[in-house]
Amino acid sequence: MDTMIDNITAPPFVLADKSTTEFPRYWIEYPDLFCAPAHEKTPERRILAVLKWFLSSLRGQQCAGRDPGDGVKKPLNAFLGEVFTGECGAEGDECKLVSEQVSHHPPVTACYLWNENHGIRAEGYTRQEINFSGSINIQQIGHAILHIDEYDEDYLIPLPNVKVKGILTGGPYPELSGTYEIVSSSGFLAEIDFSGKSLLGFGGKKNHVVANVYPQDDATRKNAVLMAKGNWSESFTITDSSGQTLDTYNVASASASTFRVPEIEQQDPWESRKAWSGVINGIHRGNMQDVATKKSKLENAQRELRKLPETAEEKWRPLFFRKENQNAMAERLLAIVGKTLNPADTRGAWKFDGGKAASLERPWRKELTPYGGS
């Protein structure tokens, strides 16, 4: 029997020092890989570069930037309206990010990542549902779309479901399972199969992944033109159809780019690290009583805000994203693999609102803060 644990409060000592709004940063922690697809000359090489970028980002996302051997920490649950912004990469050639909690019931995080110099950008959103059945199961409902300006190409990026295993043995670690597709508007797709150890760890390989790139007209999916195989938290090897090795990427030894955010004093009250600063400082000091007190203060303030007519969730408007009823590109790419888009699952199909974002000035919501008043 599965037990839903979305609303169960985690004890302070298992909390990570970051919120779920910060996790999209791991899509761009290797800026060269994020930008690489924009510089490949053939559609086969571009989808291969997208696949390599996707696989390389999984370790950071699933382990929250920690070493896998250090175990798993539960991220802070983002509150409605919480925002995370930042950038990484060389000065003048930055990859940038903005993410925002656009819904609380159900919890939905939207994000937008881009590099103007290279003409590449991605946007997406996810809703997470969590239950427990021997392991912690995290179902991700949503997608991302990567766009390359020069070729006017789009890539549907899946958001794999996660299992946190090892709970019963005292050594929790993330595991991905199932089959997913990266679907390109150029006529290729990458089928990605995740597998791992069994529940008690007696079978299978930890964090195992096999991916095959096919032309979309290969209905049998027996004639892969490119392949990737290995371990998404350690290393994987890419080969061509003849078995010749094209590349081996060591995720474990790769050096992530430093991610830069505004100083706390310069951040808006709705920015994640400022809003959670008391909790984060308590985690860093190991003061669990302070963590619990500061966390409850923010969460209780949010509950009170939602009771007021002017700040109730039904009337809430995100800062950087707008709600739409459909996404034609996502629907087109999903249809290629026999799937459909259901915006009702995520309270809408969320799109980055560039015009609105360009006009925003701190403080974004004037006197209103996550705690209610100025």
Side-chain angles (χ1 to χ4, degrees):
M1 179 178 179
D2 291 352
T3 302
M4 298 303 293
I5 60 173
D6 303 60
N7 298 318
I8 294 178
T9 300
F13 62 86
V14 301
L15 289 174
D17 62 352
K18 53 181 65 70
S19 159
T20 51
T21 58
E22 188 164 337
F23 278 53
R25 61 176 275 194
Y26 299 110
W27 287 111
I28 55 172
E29 69 174 346
Y30 302 111
D32 55 334
L33 296 184
F34 176 67
C35 298
H39 301 286
E40 295 292 349
K41 301 304 181 184
T42 67
E44 296 96 328
R45 287 289 179 166
R46 287 194 290 277
I47 194 170
L48 179 62
V50 172
L51 174 63
K52 181 178 178 180
W53 159 71
F54 172 79
L55 294 178
S56 70
S57 72
L58 295 174
R59 174 178 165 128
Q61 292 177 51
Q62 307 310 325
C63 301
R66 294 158 53 88
D67 186 285
D70 293 338
V72 175
K73 295 282 188 178
K74 183 184 183 300
L76 300 166
N77 290 329
F79 55 84
L80 183 63
E82 181 180 331
V83 174
F84 180 78
T85 66
E87 63 184 30
C88 62
E91 186 175 350
D93 192 26
E94 299 91 351
C95 292
K96 299 181 180 182
L97 160 71
V98 58
S99 68
E100 182 174 4
Q101 194 73 4
V102 294
S103 172
H104 189 62
H105 294 293
V108 178
T109 306
C111 68
Y112 182 69
L113 316 98
W114 73 101
N115 186 301
E116 294 178 0
N117 293 346
H118 298 269
I120 192 165
R121 60 186 184 272
E123 64 179 344
Y125 54 90
T126 182
R127 166 188 174 183
Q128 292 188 342
E129 290 189 353
I130 307 173
N131 62 62
F132 181 78
S133 59
S135 59
I136 295 175
N137 306 301
I138 305 170
Q139 180 185 11
Q140 297 205 91
I141 303 169
H143 66 271
I145 292 181
L146 179 78
H147 181 82
I148 302 174
D149 289 345
E150 182 175 354
Y151 299 100
D152 193 24
E153 283 180 355
D154 293 279
Y155 296 79
L156 183 77
I157 308 300
L159 305 177
N161 296 332
V162 186
K163 288 181 179 289
V164 179
K165 295 188 173 182
I167 301 294
L168 301 179
T169 58
Y173 65 92
E175 192 67 86
L176 305 178
S177 62
T179 301
Y180 303 85
E181 293 101 354
I182 294 175
V183 187
S184 171
S185 61
S186 69
F188 287 87
L189 64 83
E191 183 180 75
I192 307 161
D193 184 64
F194 294 105
S195 60
K197 289 187 176 182
S198 62
L199 179 62
L200 296 178
F202 297 123
K205 296 180 180 179
K206 187 176 179 180
N207 299 161
H208 189 62
V209 62
V210 176
N212 293 287
V213 174
Y214 302 99
Q216 289 172 10
D217 58 7
D218 179 9
T220 64
R221 296 195 185 179
K222 292 182 178 179
N223 302 301
V225 295
L226 296 160
M227 288 142 280
K229 184 176 181 180
N231 180 298
W232 56 260
S233 62
E234 297 295 334
S235 69
F236 55 88
T237 298
I238 297 170
T239 59
D240 63 16
S241 57
S242 69
Q244 180 178 350
T245 298
L246 303 178
D247 188 14
T248 296
Y249 189 75
N250 193 314
V251 185
S253 64
S255 180
S257 176
T258 300
F259 200 90
R260 303 180 293 274
V261 301
E263 296 293 334
I264 291 292
E265 297 76 18
Q266 299 173 345
Q267 289 186 23
D268 189 272
W270 290 89
E271 290 191 73
S272 181
R273 291 192 185 179
K274 184 163 189 172
W276 289 106
S277 60
V279 175
I280 293 170
N281 289 338
I283 291 173
H284 290 169
R285 296 194 313 270
N287 187 334
M288 295 302 106
Q289 181 57 56
D290 197 35
V291 170
T293 300
K294 298 290 175 55
K295 183 170 178 287
S296 293
K297 181 180 179 181
L298 178 55
E299 291 171 342
N300 289 335
Q302 282 291 301
R303 293 187 187 98
E304 292 304 311
L305 272 180
R306 302 307 149 220
K307 295 177 183 178
L308 301 176
E310 62 272 22
T311 51
E313 182 161 8
E314 293 74 19
K315 293 188 177 181
W316 190 260
R317 295 294 179 268
L319 292 165
F320 293 91
F321 296 85
R322 66 177 182 271
K323 178 180 178 179
E324 298 189 352
N325 295 322
Q326 61 182 9
N327 183 319
M329 180 54 66
E331 291 166 359
R332 174 188 164 193
L333 295 176
L334 283 166
I336 292 172
V337 289
K339 298 178 181 178
T340 58
L341 180 70
N342 187 359
D345 289 341
T346 49
R347 294 196 70 199
W350 299 93
K351 297 281 290 182
F352 179 69
D353 192 333
K356 185 178 179 182
S359 67
L360 287 172
E361 294 183 359
R362 292 180 174 88
W364 295 324
R365 296 191 183 275
K366 308 307 179 186
E367 293 82 13
L368 184 66
T369 79
Y371 293 91
S374 57

